[in-house]
Structures are given as C-alpha cells and as structure tokens.
Amino acid sequence: MMRILNRSAGGGPRGGRINGRALSGAMAAVVALALSLAVLVPAQAVEEDGYQLWLRYRPVQQAAQLQQQARTITYDGKASPTVQAAIDELRRGLQGMAGKAPASGTAAADGAIVLAKAGALPQGFKTDGLAELGPEGYLLKSASVNGKRVTVIAANEDIGLLYGAFGLLRALGTGKTLAALDERAAPKLQLRVLNHWDNLDRTVERGYSGQSIWNWWELPDIRERQYVDYARANASLGINGTVLNNVNSKAEILTAPWIAKVAALADVLRPYGIKVYLSARWSTPLELKETKTADPLAPEVAAWWRAKADEIYRAIPDFGGFLVKANSEGQPGPQDYHRSHADGANMLAAALAPHKGIVMWRAFVYAAEKPDDRAKQAYDEFKPLDGKFAPNVMVQVKNGAIDFQPREPFHPLFGAMPKTPLMMEFQITKEYLGFAMHMAYLGPLFEEVLKADTMQRPNGFTVAQVLEDADHGRRPTGMAGVANIGSSRTWSGSHFDQANWYAYGRFAWDPQGDSRAFAREWAMQTFSREPQAVTQIVDMMMRSREAVVDYMTPLGLHHLMDTGHHHGPGPWVDNLGRPDWNPTYYHKADKQGIGFDRTASGSNALAQYAPGVAKRWADPRTTPEELLLWFHHLPWNYAMPSGRTLWTELVARYDRGVTEAEGLRARWEKLKPLVDERRYGEVAQRLDTQVKEARWWRDASVAYFQSVSALPLPPGVRKPERTLEQYKAIKFPYAAGHH
C-alpha cells in the first residue's frame, strides 16, 4: 500500500497497471480505494522532491516488530537541547519507519530505547570501552537489562548521544534490526567542516543549487526552518563545523550587524553540535579604516584582531575561528607587507587562542609571477614554514596541487609537513565536473586521494593517516568540504549530488572509509531498500566519476574547461591575461606530442614528492595511465600498454566516456518501476543532458587535438559533429555560479 500511495502522488493511477504490472479487477478496486484515501494520509502521499535528503525514514519491512522493540525512549535526567534533538529525531525516525512514535519512558522496560551517558548507564550494562570513544563517540547495543530487552545508546557527552541516535536510524534505514545492533563509533578527525562559498547578497560562487540558504537580509530576526533541517542533515553525518561565507570574503562580515546575524545562526546550529566559523578578509581593519595598515607585525593590527575576536566571542561563545584565503588570486595577505604565511596566520591565532579558536589557513596560492609550474607553488611557499605555525593553526590543503580537477595526484604537501597540522580541502560542489548537470559521485575521488601512499614513512603513510596523525592529540585534525548546498528543493541542485555531501561527511568521520559502502548507505536511505534498485543505483554511482574523467580529462590531462565559468571544453584557450589561466598551459599539445613534463627534464614538480613516489612517476612506463599526461609530455605515437598509440588511446578514452554516460542513462531507464515518478523524471532529464554534453566534450576535444597533431582519426572512429571553429564559438556569458 505504501508503494502505491507514493507512486500515485507523482501523477495518478495508470489505467489498471502499477509498476508495469497488470492488476486484477479486485486488486484494481483496492488500488482505486487506496488512491481515493491518499488525501487522508498526507504524510505518505507527499510528492518526493528530494528535500528530505537521506532522512526520509520510510517504513521498514518488519514495522510491527520494530514497534515492539521501540515502545519507549528513556533518558535519566533533564534533557539538554542536544539530547532533546536526539530524542526528537528518534521519534521522527521511528514514526516513519515503524508507523508509530515511541512514548516517553522513565525506566528500562521491554522495548525501551535507553539514552545514557557514562556514569548513568543502566545497571549491569557493559561499557565496552566507552571512555576510549571520546566526547563525540557512541555505542549502540541491543542488551538485556534487569531481564528486559532494551536498545542502549551510550556516549560520554550529549553530542555523542545525538550522533548515536542518527547512527541507530541509519542502521535501521540500511536494513539492520534493533535486535542485532552492536556498533561502536568515534570520529577520527576533530574538525569536520563545510566551507560555504556563499556571498552576502545570497549568490554562491561555484554554487549550482540556487541561492545561499543563509537569508542574510532577514537575519537575525527571522530564522528559517531550513536552518534546522540543515543542522539535522549535517549532524546525521557528524559534520561539526560550518564556514558561513565565501573565502573571497568581504570586510563587512566582521562588523557588529553581521556578527549579530552570525550569532543567530550559531544559536540554531548549536544543539546539533555545529560550530560556526567565518572567512576573514585579510585587509578588514584597513578597509574599515580602523587601522592604517594590515601588516601582521604592526601592533595596531594585532590589537585590532584581538579586540575583534573578543567581540565575536561575546556574541558567540563557541565560535570556531577563521578561515583565510590570503595572497591568492588577487586576495590581500601578509605577503603584501613582505611577511610570510606563518606571520599572518600566527597573528590571527594569537587573537583566537584565549578563546580556543582555530585558524584554517588555505595553502591554495598561485600567482602569475611564478611561471614555472603552478602545481609547485603551494609546496614551495609552505614546506619551508613547517614547524613555524602556532599550535592552533591548521594549513588547509586542496586534495591536488592544481584546482579540484576531475582527477589529480594527491597534493605533495601531504606527508611533507610533519610539524604542521594539515587539513584536507575537498570540493563537494562540482566546479569542474559538469556542475549539478552531470552525475559524478565523488566518493571514489575522495577515497582515491585518501588511500594514496605518500611514502613519507618506511612502512607507508597514506593521506588519510597524514590527516589523522594528531601527535597523540596535541594538534588539531580536520577535513573541509566546499559545500554544494543551496536553496534548491533538492538542496544540491540534483538528487544524486546529495550523495557527494553524504560521502564527504562519512569520509570526514572516517578518512579510511569505503566509498561503495557509503554509496550503498545513501541509496538505501534516499531511494529504495529493494536489492535490485540498490545494486543498480550503487553501480551507476561507482562508474559515474570515471565516465566524467574519460570524456573531459582522460589520461592525466587537466584544466581543459572553458575559461572563467569552467563549463564545457576549451582546450584551445590561449589568450588570457595569465599563462596559468589558459588550458594550453596545462596540456602543452603541439605537433610533436602532448602533456605537461613535470619530471627532472621539465618543471621537476616530481621532486616535491617522496623519493619512492617520484621514482615511480618519473618513468612513463611506471606512471599510472590515469596520471600519464599530468607528469609527461609524450609523442603522439608513444606506445601505450594497450598496444595502441597515445593518439589512438586518447580518442578511445573520450569514446569510452561517452559510452559510459549513455550506459548511465540506460541503467536509469531500467529503474523506472522502482523509483517514484518525480525523482525518476528529474534524474532522467539530467542524464539526457549529460549524454549530450559528454558528446560535445568528446567531439570538441578530439577536433582540437586532431588539429594540433595533424593526425587522421583512428580507423572506425566517428568524426566530430561540428567543426572546431563552431565549437570555439560557443559562449556562456551568464553561466551559473560564476562571479
């Protein structure tokens, strides 16, 4: 009946058929009755628009049994706002999954869900090393207490109980039962943060999901319900921090009226364990005309930042700290005054230290004055500063040395700064992966980077281990993700882009996690628990990012996107104001060959990696094919492992990407009977667009590289649909997310 009601909401009955199957007369009558009653069951008949994310809480198969196992929720003591949030979420979730919300209980009776902190655990309950799980960890356990069958959520602090409540609901949503519950979990990183590139006018840089969800104009007086739902979704993943504004920051955000707006958001997010942070513009005191300089070593500047930090903490006692983009892409910074990044970061750190605040200082720096190789600049500037940053400074490093490309080798700074806490910066919004138009599940990208071995220690040292290496807790650890969240009803611009937010949160909790497992969790909670649907959806997700790599940037090519907005191909662009803004700078294609030589005979960027990595990647025969043209300029007739020439292989990869995009669409079509009508149709439209744009990428790229190489197309290969000049003429002056 549940299925029927959900299907009907999308567009009514289908003439005696449902999910493609003919119905008997009696069954058709039952269906007709169900449809007529749908208006009486509004919660079940609501059209699926994606707003509920993975917190849909649809009925489970054994709903009656679950009702018996979750009759009451008990908590011994006065519930804090955080514990109350946990209780409310359990009620909401169990109402949806079991069909009945648990009552409030006072004692551990049969079928009780017991929330308990260390020191108030049910008598006889084994703690199972609860103390080791820290302030945010939790235990979930089905247990017998005084002869009663109960489910215990145990934690050391209130926030652990909230994370445990979400952990229990995730377990139920992915097919587990309360009777079999036995989990222990704790985050491996301390700071698990979203970076919103949201502007004060509600536009979002590199955002493809509508306006910013922060309605600055109406704050602090009006606090929208969506802020609570945002907090719930993030808490369900263990995300515990949010940077509210763009790294290309404005000075106004640190003025009193805006601090009041930020404080209002902090009040909403606090019960869910989420601290707010702000991107701080380096030159703020100078721009506000409250100092005569922004030199970090000038006493008046340090005094201004100390006073500003005190002002913020009076309004927001648990304020997280500052994120800073300095001396990059024209942003002001300490180098304007011939000071180092450490000089700048440490001055801010001193202002925040009395309040236990953190400075997240971005290592994304590049400037036209360094024409050698943009990939080298961050390492060159930051490696010499290892050990010179204050204890509450984290250097925030992008996953690769260029800029969130569909594929990059891991950043050489990981493992190379043992005395400095490094914080990973991933992009969740898809600036270079087709915006919210193309399906590209980023879990495999995150996992590929996190599992990469830096070889900075004799027995191996993965990027994930670098991030977790907290010097026995004496230094902060963390991960940041550039958010893809906006005012779109789907939150992320498309249904499948929600999975990237989800996977990011799960990897921030456990950097050694598994992208396929996270895809499976998301699919079961978001779309369906039917095995056939789950298998197909997860398979699509796991293939999608590689498809995008193939039709955009195969074999280690990178930054081939058209200029500025980064939508669509532009490998021919060579007329921009800075060399490293031009795609031609990155592929170096000429009549002789293609690729960027980063070996000793070229820019020698390889020397920034540990010797074991550098040696492997220095030889094209031992460089992974996926990174070949990232590190090597090779002749068009270079012999590939497949037996094909480089030119033939390159075209084959472009073709493979198009074939995979077509395969995603075909797989989705088979899922039509298993997915609600609205979401099926919305995803189908995007997959149609993806196929069209994959062909465009392939044709324009092949046409351009053929014009450079002067080689004929390999036998049997389809010619591009248009001429190269026609592809060059395509322009997007008003592309989304480009500011």
Side-chain angles (χ1 to χ4, degrees), residues 577-601:
R578 289 170 44 158
D580 56 0
W581 284 351
N582 293 298
T584 53
Y585 169 94
Y586 296 98
H587 63 68
K588 305 259 190 278
D590 53 28
K591 194 159 186 181
Q592 283 67 49
I594 183 173
F596 198 122
D597 184 0
R598 291 189 165 101
T599 69
S601 62

Side-chain angles (χ1 to χ4, degrees), residues 51-52 55-58 73 85-102 166 169 225 228-229 232 272:
Y51 182 81
Q52 293 172 313
L55 304 177
R56 291 163 65 246
Y57 303 139
R58 291 299 184 260
I73 298 174
I87 293 168
D88 292 346
E89 198 69 34
L90 287 168
R91 284 213 178 96
R92 177 199 298 257
L94 290 162
Q95 168 78 57
M97 288 193 266
K100 185 178 181 182
F166 280 113
L169 294 169
R225 168 70 206 188
V228 175
D229 292 334
R232 291 174 52 236
Y272 292 88

Side-chain angles (χ1 to χ4, degrees), residues 72-132:
T72 59
I73 298 174
T74 72
Y75 176 70
D76 185 12
K78 187 175 188 313
S80 68
T82 298
V83 173
Q84 191 59 51
I87 293 168
D88 292 346
E89 198 69 34
L90 287 168
R91 284 213 178 96
R92 177 199 298 257
L94 290 162
Q95 168 78 57
M97 288 193 266
K100 185 178 181 182
S104 296
T106 53
D110 270 326
I113 295 180
V114 180
L115 284 79
K117 288 199 294 190
L121 294 166
Q123 203 169 7
F125 178 72
K126 292 181 181 173
T127 58
D128 284 338
L130 178 60
E132 301 157 21

Side-chain angles (χ1 to χ4, degrees), residues 120-191:
L121 294 166
Q123 203 169 7
F125 178 72
K126 292 181 181 173
T127 58
D128 284 338
L130 178 60
E132 301 157 21
L133 297 178
E136 295 178 302
Y138 61 85
L139 289 175
L140 298 178
K141 203 169 178 75
S142 175
S144 180
V145 174
N146 298 326
K148 310 291 186 187
R149 293 304 303 177
V150 300
T151 304
V152 179
I153 303 175
N156 295 304
E157 302 290 347
D158 292 355
I159 189 59
L161 293 179
L162 179 63
Y163 291 156
F166 280 113
L168 182 149
L169 294 169
R170 177 167 56 243
L172 291 174
T174 53
K176 299 184 180 74
T177 62
L178 287 188
L181 212 53
D182 188 1
E183 281 184 24
R184 48 186 292 119
K188 293 181 180 174
L189 301 179
Q190 294 160 4
L191 278 69

Side-chain angles (χ1 to χ4, degrees), residues 529-547:
R529 298 186 199 104
E530 292 194 27
Q532 182 187 347
V534 174
T535 300
Q536 282 277 21
I537 289 170
V538 171
D539 189 50
M540 288 176 67
M541 292 168 70
M542 294 303 292
R543 300 170 79 108
S544 60
R545 177 260 184 152
E546 202 64 44

Side-chain angles (χ1 to χ4, degrees), residues 6-34:
N6 272 340
R7 291 286 294 169
S8 71
R14 294 240 179 145
R17 298 179 72 83
I18 195 153
N19 292 348
R21 293 188 290 274
L23 304 177
S24 69
M27 186 60 190
V30 172
V31 172
L33 177 61

Side-chain angles (χ1 to χ4, degrees), residues 4-12 35 38 44-48 677-678:
I4 294 164
L5 293 174
N6 272 340
R7 291 286 294 169
S8 71
L35 295 174
Q44 294 176 350
V46 167
E47 185 176 60
E48 296 258 12
E677 193 166 327
R678 173 169 175 170

